[in-house]
Amino acid sequence: MILDGKKTSEKILNQLAEKVKTMDKKPKLAVILVGNDPASEIYVSSKEKAAKKIGVGSVVIKLPEETDEKTLTDKIYELNNDETVTGILVQLPLPKHIDKNKITDAICPKKDIDCFTPENVGRLMQGREPYFNPVTPQGILMLLDEYGIDVKGKHAVIVGRSNIVGKPMAQMLLNRDATVTVCHSKTENLDDIIKTADILISAVGKKVVRCKMVKSESIVIDVGISRDNNGKIVGDLDFDELVNVVKYITPVPGGVGPMTIASLMVNLINHP
Ligand code: NDP
């Protein structure tokens, strides 16, 4: 069965639009985009489109590639103090001369809509509510919820340990009583570990997981987004082969990507 992220995200966005109509003070998203990375520009425009669709405000602050750390942090402080701004998102990746941690640290945790700040990550690690949940992992859990999939007691294997996907995904699954294994580029016997997964989440950006490694009847989430030799957007996994083997699978595109956007909008509406 296909876990349809496109359909589910549309449903969530429609529900949020109804909720926004009842809000006296509409939330507002501020996105900072540094440089001209074409993929980042596409991601930012889909966030703007979603904000428009649900009827909340959004502002995109475009800064040139050569922007220095001080200019960027000053901009963030300005947005922290702007009462009309509910959530601040700094689109990654940042140019190499900018220290990502310094930028993250500048964001007020109560406006840290991506859950990047140490305070929010710390809260998540302690099993307390962060002010905002990390968007991609939250989007994945929203999709599982939509299909009535309970992760409790299941063995979830995550391939990838980034701060954006792998690590917060592990913690959120743990907080929901799953048993979690996190794999990465140094993991030995990856095949054997993947074979034990009831829930497999691939967040690598390349084809590491092969079809023969995946347990039949498992639940498979493909977070990866990359382009094949023809420029077509593809995931980490071979969807056409796996769809006949596993119980549930997300497509790419149309799986985790739209759920990430919906999850961001959920955060915007549920801001502290
Ligand atoms: P990163 O590049 O930060 O992390 C990739 C992870 O994959 C690392 O932990 C790395 O291990 C691991 N890895 C690399 N090679 C192997 C290997 N041979 N075996 C096992 N593990 C390996 O990526 P992100 O987490 O930021 O993103 C992952 C993918 O998800 C990308 O394609 C990205 O575009 C996509 N993405 C999609 C989103 C969506 O909304 N759909 C949102 C965010 C990301 P190590 O740590 O050892 O280097």
PDB file of all heavy atoms in Angstrom, residues 136 159-162 164-165 184-186 190 203-206 208 223-225 256-257 260, ligand 1:
ATOM      1  N   THR A 136      10.601  17.327   9.282  1.00  0.00           N
ATOM      2  CA  THR A 136      10.532  16.108   8.459  1.00  0.00           C
ATOM      3  C   THR A 136      10.132  14.890   9.308  1.00  0.00           C
ATOM      4  O   THR A 136       9.189  14.168   8.934  1.00  0.00           O
ATOM      5  CB  THR A 136      11.858  15.878   7.695  1.00  0.00           C
ATOM      6  OG1 THR A 136      12.067  17.001   6.837  1.00  0.00           O
ATOM      7  CG2 THR A 136      11.813  14.624   6.846  1.00  0.00           C
ATOM      8  N   VAL A 159      18.433   4.774   8.356  1.00  0.00           N
ATOM      9  CA  VAL A 159      19.735   4.868   7.700  1.00  0.00           C
ATOM     10  C   VAL A 159      19.994   6.350   7.446  1.00  0.00           C
ATOM     11  O   VAL A 159      19.260   6.990   6.685  1.00  0.00           O
ATOM     12  CB  VAL A 159      19.783   4.054   6.385  1.00  0.00           C
ATOM     13  CG1 VAL A 159      21.220   3.990   5.869  1.00  0.00           C
ATOM     14  CG2 VAL A 159      19.232   2.657   6.590  1.00  0.00           C
ATOM     15  N   GLY A 160      20.995   6.887   8.131  1.00  0.00           N
ATOM     16  CA  GLY A 160      21.272   8.334   8.091  1.00  0.00           C
ATOM     17  C   GLY A 160      21.155   8.901   9.492  1.00  0.00           C
ATOM     18  O   GLY A 160      20.206   8.574  10.215  1.00  0.00           O
ATOM     19  N   ARG A 161      22.125   9.745   9.873  1.00  0.00           N
ATOM     20  CA  ARG A 161      22.131  10.282  11.250  1.00  0.00           C
ATOM     21  C   ARG A 161      22.293  11.796  11.261  1.00  0.00           C
ATOM     22  O   ARG A 161      22.991  12.365  12.095  1.00  0.00           O
ATOM     23  CB  ARG A 161      23.250   9.629  12.057  1.00  0.00           C
ATOM     24  CG  ARG A 161      24.626   9.815  11.429  1.00  0.00           C
ATOM     25  CD  ARG A 161      25.739   9.333  12.329  1.00  0.00           C
ATOM     26  NE  ARG A 161      26.982   9.194  11.584  1.00  0.00           N
ATOM     27  CZ  ARG A 161      28.129   8.803  12.109  1.00  0.00           C
ATOM     28  NH1 ARG A 161      28.198   8.504  13.372  1.00  0.00           N
ATOM     29  NH2 ARG A 161      29.210   8.693  11.364  1.00  0.00           N
ATOM     30  N   SER A 162      21.694  12.475  10.290  1.00  0.00           N
ATOM     31  CA  SER A 162      21.833  13.938  10.252  1.00  0.00           C
ATOM     32  C   SER A 162      21.024  14.578  11.372  1.00  0.00           C
ATOM     33  O   SER A 162      20.106  13.971  11.943  1.00  0.00           O
ATOM     34  CB  SER A 162      21.342  14.486   8.905  1.00  0.00           C
ATOM     35  OG  SER A 162      19.946  14.349   8.816  1.00  0.00           O
ATOM     36  N   ILE A 164      19.032  16.934  10.889  1.00  0.00           N
ATOM     37  CA  ILE A 164      17.727  17.340  10.347  1.00  0.00           C
ATOM     38  C   ILE A 164      16.758  16.170  10.292  1.00  0.00           C
ATOM     39  O   ILE A 164      15.573  16.314  10.568  1.00  0.00           O
ATOM     40  CB  ILE A 164      17.902  17.939   8.927  1.00  0.00           C
ATOM     41  CG1 ILE A 164      18.811  19.156   8.988  1.00  0.00           C
ATOM     42  CG2 ILE A 164      16.556  18.297   8.307  1.00  0.00           C
ATOM     43  CD1 ILE A 164      19.078  19.790   7.637  1.00  0.00           C
ATOM     44  N   VAL A 165      17.266  15.003   9.928  1.00  0.00           N
ATOM     45  CA  VAL A 165      16.356  13.859   9.759  1.00  0.00           C
ATOM     46  C   VAL A 165      16.673  12.712  10.728  1.00  0.00           C
ATOM     47  O   VAL A 165      15.889  12.406  11.625  1.00  0.00           O
ATOM     48  CB  VAL A 165      16.365  13.318   8.303  1.00  0.00           C
ATOM     49  CG1 VAL A 165      15.278  12.259   8.144  1.00  0.00           C
ATOM     50  CG2 VAL A 165      16.178  14.419   7.272  1.00  0.00           C
ATOM     51  N   HIS A 184      24.681   4.434   9.748  1.00  0.00           N
ATOM     52  CA  HIS A 184      25.381   5.518   9.047  1.00  0.00           C
ATOM     53  C   HIS A 184      26.471   4.935   8.186  1.00  0.00           C
ATOM     54  O   HIS A 184      26.551   3.706   8.026  1.00  0.00           O
ATOM     55  CB  HIS A 184      25.916   6.520  10.084  1.00  0.00           C
ATOM     56  CG  HIS A 184      26.616   5.867  11.217  1.00  0.00           C
ATOM     57  ND1 HIS A 184      27.905   5.391  11.108  1.00  0.00           N
ATOM     58  CD2 HIS A 184      26.177   5.520  12.452  1.00  0.00           C
ATOM     59  CE1 HIS A 184      28.242   4.819  12.244  1.00  0.00           C
ATOM     60  NE2 HIS A 184      27.210   4.878  13.083  1.00  0.00           N
ATOM     61  N   SER A 185      27.348   5.786   7.672  1.00  0.00           N
ATOM     62  CA  SER A 185      28.324   5.307   6.682  1.00  0.00           C
ATOM     63  C   SER A 185      29.368   4.357   7.273  1.00  0.00           C
ATOM     64  O   SER A 185      30.039   3.657   6.535  1.00  0.00           O
ATOM     65  CB  SER A 185      29.014   6.494   6.002  1.00  0.00           C
ATOM     66  OG  SER A 185      29.803   7.189   6.933  1.00  0.00           O
ATOM     67  N   LYS A 186      29.491   4.346   8.594  1.00  0.00           N
ATOM     68  CA  LYS A 186      30.494   3.457   9.214  1.00  0.00           C
ATOM     69  C   LYS A 186      29.851   2.184   9.789  1.00  0.00           C
ATOM     70  O   LYS A 186      30.528   1.362  10.396  1.00  0.00           O
ATOM     71  CB  LYS A 186      31.242   4.189  10.351  1.00  0.00           C
ATOM     72  CG  LYS A 186      31.791   5.567   9.997  1.00  0.00           C
ATOM     73  CD  LYS A 186      32.923   5.502   8.973  1.00  0.00           C
ATOM     74  CE  LYS A 186      33.501   6.866   8.668  1.00  0.00           C
ATOM     75  NZ  LYS A 186      32.595   7.824   8.031  1.00  0.00           N
ATOM     76  N   LEU A 190      25.365  -3.665   7.591  1.00  0.00           N
ATOM     77  CA  LEU A 190      24.145  -2.896   7.336  1.00  0.00           C
ATOM     78  C   LEU A 190      23.009  -3.803   6.826  1.00  0.00           C
ATOM     79  O   LEU A 190      21.866  -3.685   7.278  1.00  0.00           O
ATOM     80  CB  LEU A 190      24.459  -1.793   6.307  1.00  0.00           C
ATOM     81  CG  LEU A 190      23.375  -0.776   6.022  1.00  0.00           C
ATOM     82  CD1 LEU A 190      23.104   0.104   7.231  1.00  0.00           C
ATOM     83  CD2 LEU A 190      23.756   0.117   4.834  1.00  0.00           C
ATOM     84  N   ALA A 203      17.332   7.837   4.859  1.00  0.00           N
ATOM     85  CA  ALA A 203      17.591   9.279   4.728  1.00  0.00           C
ATOM     86  C   ALA A 203      19.068   9.461   4.430  1.00  0.00           C
ATOM     87  O   ALA A 203      19.842   9.907   5.279  1.00  0.00           O
ATOM     88  CB  ALA A 203      17.188  10.003   6.013  1.00  0.00           C
ATOM     89  N   VAL A 204      19.445   9.077   3.229  1.00  0.00           N
ATOM     90  CA  VAL A 204      20.859   9.091   2.844  1.00  0.00           C
ATOM     91  C   VAL A 204      21.117  10.087   1.718  1.00  0.00           C
ATOM     92  O   VAL A 204      22.060  10.884   1.764  1.00  0.00           O
ATOM     93  CB  VAL A 204      21.319   7.666   2.410  1.00  0.00           C
ATOM     94  CG1 VAL A 204      22.794   7.679   2.028  1.00  0.00           C
ATOM     95  CG2 VAL A 204      21.067   6.647   3.521  1.00  0.00           C
ATOM     96  N   GLY A 205      20.288  10.017   0.674  1.00  0.00           N
ATOM     97  CA  GLY A 205      20.527  10.868  -0.497  1.00  0.00           C
ATOM     98  C   GLY A 205      21.196  10.085  -1.606  1.00  0.00           C
ATOM     99  O   GLY A 205      21.555  10.658  -2.640  1.00  0.00           O
ATOM    100  N   LYS A 206      21.354   8.783  -1.392  1.00  0.00           N
ATOM    101  CA  LYS A 206      21.825   7.914  -2.478  1.00  0.00           C
ATOM    102  C   LYS A 206      21.344   6.487  -2.222  1.00  0.00           C
ATOM    103  O   LYS A 206      20.865   6.171  -1.125  1.00  0.00           O
ATOM    104  CB  LYS A 206      23.340   7.990  -2.646  1.00  0.00           C
ATOM    105  CG  LYS A 206      24.131   7.709  -1.397  1.00  0.00           C
ATOM    106  CD  LYS A 206      25.609   7.985  -1.640  1.00  0.00           C
ATOM    107  CE  LYS A 206      26.360   7.697  -0.350  1.00  0.00           C
ATOM    108  NZ  LYS A 206      27.739   8.037  -0.336  1.00  0.00           N
ATOM    109  N   VAL A 208      21.675   3.296  -1.084  1.00  0.00           N
ATOM    110  CA  VAL A 208      22.460   2.414  -0.230  1.00  0.00           C
ATOM    111  C   VAL A 208      21.649   1.146   0.072  1.00  0.00           C
ATOM    112  O   VAL A 208      22.168   0.039   0.076  1.00  0.00           O
ATOM    113  CB  VAL A 208      22.822   3.148   1.090  1.00  0.00           C
ATOM    114  CG1 VAL A 208      23.355   2.189   2.128  1.00  0.00           C
ATOM    115  CG2 VAL A 208      23.829   4.259   0.820  1.00  0.00           C
ATOM    116  N   VAL A 223      13.073   8.995   2.525  1.00  0.00           N
ATOM    117  CA  VAL A 223      13.222  10.441   2.727  1.00  0.00           C
ATOM    118  C   VAL A 223      14.077  11.063   1.618  1.00  0.00           C
ATOM    119  O   VAL A 223      13.934  12.241   1.298  1.00  0.00           O
ATOM    120  CB  VAL A 223      13.873  10.727   4.112  1.00  0.00           C
ATOM    121  CG1 VAL A 223      13.940  12.226   4.381  1.00  0.00           C
ATOM    122  CG2 VAL A 223      13.106  10.042   5.228  1.00  0.00           C
ATOM    123  N   GLY A 224      14.937  10.269   1.034  1.00  0.00           N
ATOM    124  CA  GLY A 224      15.940  10.778   0.091  1.00  0.00           C
ATOM    125  C   GLY A 224      15.352  11.528  -1.092  1.00  0.00           C
ATOM    126  O   GLY A 224      14.278  11.190  -1.596  1.00  0.00           O
ATOM    127  N   ILE A 225      16.051  12.561  -1.498  1.00  0.00           N
ATOM    128  CA  ILE A 225      15.698  13.280  -2.724  1.00  0.00           C
ATOM    129  C   ILE A 225      17.009  13.508  -3.481  1.00  0.00           C
ATOM    130  O   ILE A 225      17.924  14.149  -2.960  1.00  0.00           O
ATOM    131  CB  ILE A 225      15.072  14.670  -2.446  1.00  0.00           C
ATOM    132  CG1 ILE A 225      13.811  14.548  -1.591  1.00  0.00           C
ATOM    133  CG2 ILE A 225      14.746  15.375  -3.759  1.00  0.00           C
ATOM    134  CD1 ILE A 225      13.214  15.893  -1.191  1.00  0.00           C
ATOM    135  N   VAL A 256       7.380  11.864   1.490  1.00  0.00           N
ATOM    136  CA  VAL A 256       7.842  12.645   2.645  1.00  0.00           C
ATOM    137  C   VAL A 256       7.939  14.148   2.318  1.00  0.00           C
ATOM    138  O   VAL A 256       7.684  14.984   3.187  1.00  0.00           O
ATOM    139  CB  VAL A 256       9.204  12.099   3.144  1.00  0.00           C
ATOM    140  CG1 VAL A 256       9.749  12.939   4.287  1.00  0.00           C
ATOM    141  CG2 VAL A 256       9.053  10.634   3.582  1.00  0.00           C
ATOM    142  N   GLY A 257       8.279  14.481   1.077  1.00  0.00           N
ATOM    143  CA  GLY A 257       8.447  15.899   0.705  1.00  0.00           C
ATOM    144  C   GLY A 257       7.229  16.753   1.051  1.00  0.00           C
ATOM    145  O   GLY A 257       7.337  17.701   1.843  1.00  0.00           O
ATOM    146  N   THR A 260       6.597  17.119   4.747  1.00  0.00           N
ATOM    147  CA  THR A 260       7.490  18.058   5.438  1.00  0.00           C
ATOM    148  C   THR A 260       6.900  19.469   5.390  1.00  0.00           C
ATOM    149  O   THR A 260       6.920  20.206   6.378  1.00  0.00           O
ATOM    150  CB  THR A 260       8.897  18.021   4.785  1.00  0.00           C
ATOM    151  OG1 THR A 260       9.433  16.715   4.962  1.00  0.00           O
ATOM    152  CG2 THR A 260       9.837  19.034   5.394  1.00  0.00           C
TER     153      THR A 260
HETATM  154  P1  NDP B   1      23.076  14.157   5.154  1.00  0.00           P
HETATM  155  O1  NDP B   1      23.953  14.156   3.961  1.00  0.00           O
HETATM  156  O2  NDP B   1      23.272  15.167   6.219  1.00  0.00           O
HETATM  157  O3  NDP B   1      23.159  12.707   5.843  1.00  0.00           O
HETATM  158  C1  NDP B   1      23.263  11.552   5.095  1.00  0.00           C
HETATM  159  C2  NDP B   1      23.429  10.388   6.038  1.00  0.00           C
HETATM  160  O4  NDP B   1      23.582   9.218   5.255  1.00  0.00           O
HETATM  161  C3  NDP B   1      24.685  10.492   6.925  1.00  0.00           C
HETATM  162  O5  NDP B   1      24.357  10.182   8.247  1.00  0.00           O
HETATM  163  C4  NDP B   1      25.631   9.463   6.324  1.00  0.00           C
HETATM  164  O6  NDP B   1      26.474   8.823   7.267  1.00  0.00           O
HETATM  165  C5  NDP B   1      24.643   8.437   5.779  1.00  0.00           C
HETATM  166  N1  NDP B   1      25.280   7.636   4.757  1.00  0.00           N
HETATM  167  C6  NDP B   1      25.985   8.055   3.683  1.00  0.00           C
HETATM  168  N2  NDP B   1      26.461   6.996   2.980  1.00  0.00           N
HETATM  169  C7  NDP B   1      26.048   5.893   3.637  1.00  0.00           C
HETATM  170  C8  NDP B   1      26.235   4.510   3.426  1.00  0.00           C
HETATM  171  N3  NDP B   1      26.943   4.042   2.407  1.00  0.00           N
HETATM  172  N4  NDP B   1      25.669   3.643   4.306  1.00  0.00           N
HETATM  173  C9  NDP B   1      24.945   4.098   5.341  1.00  0.00           C
HETATM  174  N5  NDP B   1      24.740   5.402   5.590  1.00  0.00           N
HETATM  175  C10 NDP B   1      25.282   6.298   4.755  1.00  0.00           C
HETATM  176  O7  NDP B   1      21.632  14.187   4.579  1.00  0.00           O
HETATM  177  P2  NDP B   1      20.176  14.650   5.166  1.00  0.00           P
HETATM  178  O8  NDP B   1      19.764  13.843   6.340  1.00  0.00           O
HETATM  179  O9  NDP B   1      20.141  16.113   5.268  1.00  0.00           O
HETATM  180  O10 NDP B   1      19.284  14.227   3.937  1.00  0.00           O
HETATM  181  C11 NDP B   1      19.219  12.891   3.492  1.00  0.00           C
HETATM  182  C12 NDP B   1      18.388  12.835   2.233  1.00  0.00           C
HETATM  183  O11 NDP B   1      17.075  13.227   2.548  1.00  0.00           O
HETATM  184  C13 NDP B   1      18.833  13.789   1.121  1.00  0.00           C
HETATM  185  O12 NDP B   1      18.577  13.194  -0.116  1.00  0.00           O
HETATM  186  C14 NDP B   1      17.943  15.003   1.310  1.00  0.00           C
HETATM  187  O13 NDP B   1      17.759  15.720   0.107  1.00  0.00           O
HETATM  188  C15 NDP B   1      16.673  14.332   1.745  1.00  0.00           C
HETATM  189  N6  NDP B   1      15.793  15.175   2.550  1.00  0.00           N
HETATM  190  C16 NDP B   1      14.495  15.145   2.222  1.00  0.00           C
HETATM  191  C17 NDP B   1      13.576  15.855   2.947  1.00  0.00           C
HETATM  192  C18 NDP B   1      12.152  15.762   2.560  1.00  0.00           C
HETATM  193  O14 NDP B   1      11.377  16.565   2.996  1.00  0.00           O
HETATM  194  N7  NDP B   1      11.767  14.785   1.770  1.00  0.00           N
HETATM  195  C19 NDP B   1      13.969  16.692   4.080  1.00  0.00           C
HETATM  196  C20 NDP B   1      15.372  16.604   4.402  1.00  0.00           C
HETATM  197  C21 NDP B   1      16.242  15.859   3.644  1.00  0.00           C
HETATM  198  P3  NDP B   1      27.635   9.631   8.089  1.00  0.00           P
HETATM  199  O15 NDP B   1      26.910  10.406   9.152  1.00  0.00           O
HETATM  200  O16 NDP B   1      28.484   8.553   8.628  1.00  0.00           O
HETATM  201  O17 NDP B   1      28.312  10.506   7.086  1.00  0.00           O
END
